[in-house]
Each structure stands twice: as C-alpha cells, then as structure tokens.
Amino acid sequence: KFDDPIAFEAAVEAAEGTKILLAERSGELLQGALVRSPAWVLVGPEGGWTDDELESARGRGFSLVGLGEGVLRAETAAIVGATLVRHEFRRNR
C-alpha cells in the first residue's frame, strides 16, 4: 500500500514496523534492514536528504539503506525501493 506524501517529521513519528530511509550516502544493504512487516520506506526529495534529516530518522530507529552506485531521481528511487522491499519479503517467506 502506498500512502499520500506527508511531511518528513510526521512520517518519522508515525512509522511502525520496519523503518527504512533510502539514502544516497551512508546507506547499508536492504537485506539487513528488513525486520518485519509493515515496512515504511522514505524516499527523499530531489537533491537528497539533509544531514539533520538523516540524523533525525536514524534517531527514531530508521535504517539508512543505499540503492547502489549513482543517484536516482526521487520517483525512480521510490519504484526501485518498493520493488526491492516486496522482493525481499516474498523471498523470505
């Protein structure tokens, strides 16, 4: 299920289950971040997350996950991230 966009602070406060922030820098592997369903996957704005946003998310239990080399456009990162999360959850059933 995809929700409508909401403000960053509202998203990090409301998130439950697996908490993932797709980060173009400082990202770990997705497999280690997926704990349980539901999964909240935050996709940043064009230009990337600020250092304050990254620290705020990390402080609220989000794993910073990278999608490999290069930087993707926000809409592409959302599609790639959702596809990879869905694939990993199905693979680990």
Side-chain angles (χ1 to χ4, degrees), residues 14-54:
E16 298 177 359
T18 296
K19 301 175 188 181
I20 295 171
L21 182 138
L22 298 180
E24 70 278 2
R25 60 183 197 268
S26 306
E28 63 182 74
L29 296 176
L30 176 64
Q31 293 86 350
L34 286 175
V35 180
R36 63 190 178 285
S37 186
W40 279 69
V41 181
L42 302 186
V43 178
E46 295 293 331
W49 300 104
T50 66
D51 291 338
D52 288 343
E53 289 169 330
L54 293 173

